[in-house]
Amino acid sequence: MRLAAEGADIIAVDICRQVATASHSTATPEDLAETVRQVKGLDRRIVAAEADVRDFEALRSVVDRGVAELGRLDIVSANAGIGSFGAADELSEAAWKDVIDINLTGAWHTVKAAVPHLKASGGGSIVLTSSGAGLRAYPYLAHYTAAKHGMVGLTRTLALELAPFGIRVNSVHPNMVNTPMLMNEATFRVFRPDLEHPSVEDFAVAAQAMNALPVPWVEPEDITNALLFLASDEARYITGVALPVDAGVLLK
């Protein structure tokens, strides 16, 4: 929505169904339809489709159709991701595979589908949404941490490979963000195992203790602001950078 408000036309992709192993709710067809409504309300064009980032051919088809309709591609946000919790030696095969395939392979698929169009446009900006878990370890998140660390290596490699084409590649590293991925009982229980039914207020106390700044989490717009900057001409010589937006959690 922020990119549309700044003048961008949009290609929007989401799986639009629940991923069984995720510890949180995932988006619905109604969510995607609402995104379409809001983008059109800003007088911008949008091509939206239900597609799974694990399915490269489906993703490429959407991107190709979107570029054919909208004319070109300049900015790519690889933002699809899920989370779940479990000790590394107890994670199910399905939980491990879903997180790696969506969070890491899905980002690679997104870039792979987009790069031919960015090259045709003469350059552009790719931003991968990693995590604080891409720069440090967290217990009970081995699969998530592995995927998000992998995105750092992917970002840096892509930055080198694509620089000759005028394509910049960076990663954003949020701490905890006020979204359904964070705000659910499974998360609350991990952070407050001492309580039978921890509330959001109980969780906030534990979350704030992790950060240098006196806040328990950041807001979606804080991450959006970083994406907008990295996509803009103001960041024209920034590439291969891992940018934390984390309230100082990586300092502690």
Side-chain angles (χ1 to χ4, degrees), residues 74 76-78 107-108 111 115 118 123-129 151-173 230-231 235-243:
D74 300 284
V76 178
S77 170
W108 172 59
V111 173
V115 162
L118 293 174
S125 174
I126 299 171
V127 181
L128 278 62
T129 304
M151 292 179 79
V152 176
L154 180 62
T155 296
R156 292 171 175 168
T157 300
L158 290 169
L160 288 174
E161 291 184 1
L162 298 177
F165 303 97
I167 301 170
R168 300 181 296 103
V169 189
N170 296 286
S171 57
V172 174
H173 296 260
L230 291 172
R236 62 181 180 170
Y237 297 135
I238 298 175
T239 194
V241 165
L243 176 62

Side-chain angles (χ1 to χ4, degrees), residues 136-139 175-176 191 203-213 215-216 246-252:
R136 61 168 288 181
Y138 288 94
N175 184 21
M176 292 176 284
F191 280 82
F203 167 57
V205 173
Q208 183 168 328
M210 297 179 62
N211 297 334
L213 294 175
V215 295
D246 67 347
V249 72
L250 293 171
L251 298 173
K252 300 183 71 174

Side-chain angles (χ1 to χ4, degrees), residues 23-25 85 179-189 203:
S23 62
H24 53 90
S25 60
F85 298 101
T179 70
M181 180 183 276
L182 179 73
M183 297 300 181
N184 59 75
E185 188 173 354
T187 303
F188 300 167
R189 287 180 178 276
F203 167 57

Side-chain angles (χ1 to χ4, degrees), residues 105-145:
T105 304
W108 172 59
H109 282 166
T110 301
V111 173
K112 188 177 178 182
V115 162
H117 299 291
L118 293 174
K119 288 180 177 178
S121 296
S125 174
I126 299 171
V127 181
L128 278 62
T129 304
S130 181
S131 167
L135 299 172
R136 61 168 288 181
Y138 288 94
Y140 307 107
L141 286 171
H143 50 344
Y144 189 83
T145 300

Side-chain angles (χ1 to χ4, degrees), residues 14-223:
D14 198 282
I15 191 173
C16 292
R17 66 175 187 269
Q18 184 63 38
V19 178
T21 60
S23 62
H24 53 90
S25 60
T26 48
T28 65
E30 291 74 23
D31 292 323
L32 187 59
E34 176 62 14
T35 300
V36 171
R37 186 191 70 79
Q38 291 190 31
V39 169
K40 289 183 175 180
L42 293 170
D43 199 27
R44 303 312 308 170
R45 297 178 296 166
I46 180 169
V47 173
E50 297 179 23
D52 187 337
V53 294
R54 293 172 289 188
D55 183 344
F56 174 68
E57 292 303 328
L59 188 61
R60 180 167 63 179
S61 176
V62 176
V63 175
D64 289 352
R65 177 164 59 88
V67 173
E69 182 172 330
L70 301 176
R72 58 183 291 140
L73 186 64
D74 300 284
I75 300 165
V76 178
S77 170
N79 190 57
I82 64 166
S84 59
F85 298 101
D89 60 331
E90 297 176 357
L91 285 169
S92 70
E93 294 291 315
W96 175 274
K97 183 173 175 59
D98 284 347
V99 166
I100 297 296
D101 287 356
I102 293 173
N103 295 15
L104 180 56
T105 304
W108 172 59
H109 282 166
T110 301
V111 173
K112 188 177 178 182
V115 162
H117 299 291
L118 293 174
K119 288 180 177 178
S121 296
S125 174
I126 299 171
V127 181
L128 278 62
T129 304
S130 181
S131 167
L135 299 172
R136 61 168 288 181
Y138 288 94
Y140 307 107
L141 286 171
H143 50 344
Y144 189 83
T145 300
K148 295 301 187 178
H149 270 67
M151 292 179 79
V152 176
L154 180 62
T155 296
R156 292 171 175 168
T157 300
L158 290 169
L160 288 174
E161 291 184 1
L162 298 177
F165 303 97
I167 301 170
R168 300 181 296 103
V169 189
N170 296 286
S171 57
V172 174
H173 296 260
N175 184 21
M176 292 176 284
V177 185
N178 184 14
T179 70
M181 180 183 276
L182 179 73
M183 297 300 181
N184 59 75
E185 188 173 354
T187 303
F188 300 167
R189 287 180 178 276
V190 167
F191 280 82
R192 294 303 304 269
D194 55 312
L195 299 176
E196 185 176 358
H197 297 292
S199 66
V200 65
E201 291 79 13
D202 298 321
F203 167 57
V205 173
Q208 183 168 328
M210 297 179 62
N211 297 334
L213 294 175
V215 295
W217 46 72
V218 301
E219 297 298 325
E221 54 263 34
D222 298 308
I223 314 308

